Amino acid sequence: SQTASSRTDIRDCSADPPYLPPTATNTTARLAALRATMRTHHVDAYIVPSTDAHMSEYISERDARLGWLTGFTGSAGTVVVTQDKAALWTDSRYWTQAERQLDCNWELQRTTWIESIGLWIVEAVPVGSNVSLDPFLFSIDTWASYSQALQGSGRTLLPLETNLVDEVWGDQRPPVASSEIYSLLEAFTGSSWQEKVAGIRQQMEQHIRAPTAVLLSGLEETAWLFNLRGDDIPYNPVFYSYTLLTHTNISLFVDEAWLSASARESLQAECPGALCVELLGYGQARAHLHRYAQGNVTIWLGTEYTNYGLYGVIPQEKLLEESYSPVMLAKAVKNTKEQDLLRAAHVRDAVAVIQYLLWLEKMVPQGLVDEFSGAQHIDALRRAQQHSHGPSFQSISASG
């Protein structure tokens, strides 16, 4: 069996008793509680992804359901739990990390193919079983892939609006992020939000299908459209929101308690009118969309960022689906001012990196710096630059 001092301190489940490194999480109680909840809901296999309701690449602590359930903290993965098995699928970046963080309740699957998850489920649960997931945590495309993987297998894919992990997590689950939503200064925006809205409405008019509304689900879409920023997710200047934009109305679904006075003012300066933003609760998006979809409407959305829970309330014939919404595409095309701002930001960052390399040349030969202190130092150098708003991810620092 492996000694604890070994360089790659990973679990050994074949040893007797199994060897677990100190970095592994004991998940026995969590799994038992989840399985009890699954029985209550008549669920035989439960799928847990590593994303949130907006398909965000980075997520908040509150949405880290996979991390809480397994102890695995990598940014990408999928988990399936049955009454007697539990498995994690992740890509090669994270295999070693998973072997250090998982206990022996978990099988590590070294692939990310949904087909392989489907095959595993078919082997793990009998015909007639219910395979469930939270429809708000799966994109339309991912939902379709699972549906296809299980098609004709005799297992039923059952969306369940109660999130079973949340039920078990209970009051230990971190609270909703509370951070101010603020307006970007005009100096940092390529155009006003009113101009952006006018541009999107023009695209709606010119589209052959003449959509009556655009639904925005990606967090950066709403932030970009209204020139607003927040701090709900570490390293990402976004806030939880949805937007439904029509020719005459703009509905922003957000926790309005966190809007700064100037942000609210900027959104509602032109009320009443077609450029007046109606503020509705974040939790009302689905019900509002459901009501809107009853009318003679066509709703334009991007399938990459829209979750199946919202998508499912819109009748198929009232949908205009593209991979990305027109806002995601407009955001990707930077105007001259935005290009200048990008270049200036890169120059400021380059200054910090050059200062860092000089510092390293001096400090490393003296043996005074390790990976962690190095990462802290470059963060400090970047913070010292004008307009710095923090790193875009935790600094990754390596040697050798």
Side-chain angles (χ1 to χ4, degrees):
S1 110
Q2 239 167 346
T3 56
S5 64
S6 75
R7 175 76 181 83
T8 57
D9 198 15
I10 61 173
R11 63 182 184 161
D12 182 357
C13 297
S14 64
D16 187 20
Y19 169 71
L20 291 178
T23 46
T25 300
N26 181 345
T27 63
T28 302
R30 294 171 192 185
L31 276 169
L34 178 62
R35 286 170 170 145
T37 308
M38 286 165 60
R39 286 193 295 273
T40 308
H41 289 273
H42 309 293
V43 169
D44 303 292
Y46 192 59
I47 308 174
V48 183
S50 58
T51 187
D52 62 13
H54 305 272
M55 309 301 120
S56 307
E57 183 183 359
Y58 292 83
I59 54 172
S60 67
E61 289 286 303
R62 183 176 170 80
D63 281 315
R65 296 171 180 90
L66 185 149
W68 176 79
L69 184 65
T70 63
F72 170 71
T73 57
S75 69
T78 303
V79 150
V80 182
V81 176
T82 67
Q83 284 304 326
D84 56 356
K85 287 182 157 180
L88 165 74
W89 283 257
T90 189
D91 64 76
S92 57
R93 290 175 299 171
Y94 292 121
W95 292 345
T96 305
Q97 181 178 337
E99 295 284 11
R100 287 176 182 168
Q101 292 182 320
L102 298 176
D103 65 7
C104 290
N105 288 310
W106 296 92
E107 300 171 16
L108 175 60
Q109 304 288 334
R110 296 165 189 263
T111 162
T112 54
W113 298 109
I114 289 177
E115 291 78 12
S116 83
I117 301 177
L119 285 170
W120 186 93
I121 291 172
V122 168
E123 278 181 25
V125 297
V127 169
S129 295
N130 285 330
V131 179
S132 274
L133 43 76
D134 178 341
F136 292 95
L137 297 182
F138 289 82
S139 72
I140 299 163
D141 295 344
T142 309
W143 171 275
S145 302
Y146 278 104
S147 196
Q148 202 176 344
L150 293 171
Q151 200 174 7
S153 71
R155 282 88 178 156
T156 308
L157 194 58
L158 197 70
L160 198 63
E161 286 177 27
T162 312
N163 188 294
L164 301 188
V165 176
D166 293 353
E167 221 167 82
V168 174
W169 206 347
D171 54 11
Q172 297 299 298
R173 189 178 175 213
V176 177
S178 51
S179 69
E180 188 182 59
I181 302 168
Y182 57 93
S183 283
L184 263 191
L185 295 172
E186 207 178 305
F188 297 110
T189 60
S191 33
S192 71
W193 73 257
Q194 291 90 342
E195 290 167 332
K196 292 176 180 178
V197 165
I200 300 302
R201 283 176 167 159
Q202 193 180 353
Q203 285 195 50
M204 289 161 66
E205 274 170 31
Q206 290 167 351
H207 198 287
I208 190 159
R209 295 242 348 244
T212 60
V214 174
L215 172 67
L216 305 180
S217 292
L219 297 182
E220 48 194 70
E221 300 185 280
T222 289
W224 177 84
L225 185 65
F226 296 115
N227 292 328
L228 296 176
R229 297 292 184 268
D231 203 14
D232 285 357
I233 298 178
Y235 307 112
N236 291 257
V238 293
F239 50 92
Y240 290 106
S241 56
Y242 294 100
T243 300
L244 189 67
L245 171 65
T246 73
H247 286 294
T248 51
N249 283 80
I250 308 168
S251 304
L252 171 58
F253 302 90
V254 68
D255 185 346
E256 62 172 298
W258 300 112
L259 278 171
S260 72
S262 59
R264 183 188 297 259
E265 172 67 20
S266 124
L267 295 172
Q268 303 202 304
E270 311 210 22
C271 293
L275 284 169
C276 166
V277 179
E278 174 191 23
L279 299 171
L280 296 159
Y282 173 73
Q284 291 176 260
R286 184 172 183 261
H288 184 92
L289 187 64
H290 187 249
R291 278 196 304 277
Y292 179 77
Q294 305 304 305
N296 180 20
V297 298
T298 302
I299 300 168
W300 192 0
L301 53 78
T303 56
E304 289 277 332
Y305 288 90
T306 308
N307 67 58
Y308 188 79
L310 286 183
Y311 174 82
V313 304
I314 309 168
Q316 198 61 44
E317 69 278 5
K318 296 179 180 182
L319 271 167
L320 166 54
E321 297 175 56
E322 288 176 4
S323 291
Y324 300 103
S325 80
V327 169
M328 207 47 120
L329 294 174
K331 181 177 80 66
V333 181
K334 307 299 180 194
N335 63 28
T336 317
K337 184 181 173 186
E338 287 166 325
Q339 290 176 35
D340 290 342
L341 288 165
L342 274 170
R343 289 190 187 100
H346 276 286
V347 169
R348 292 193 298 274
D349 190 63
V351 170
V353 173
I354 291 163
Q355 290 172 328
Y356 179 58
L357 294 174
L358 273 169
W359 178 82
L360 278 182
E361 278 180 17
K362 200 165 68 196
M363 305 304 276
V364 171
Q366 299 174 44
L368 295 174
V369 58
D370 59 24
E371 286 89 339
F372 183 66
S373 64
Q376 286 183 304
H377 189 68
I378 194 164
D379 286 349
L381 290 171
R382 286 186 162 129
R383 265 199 308 276
Q385 286 295 326
Q386 198 186 0
H387 310 309
S388 165
H389 222 87
S392 62
F393 54 84
Q394 196 171 356
S395 288
I396 299 169
S397 166
S399 66

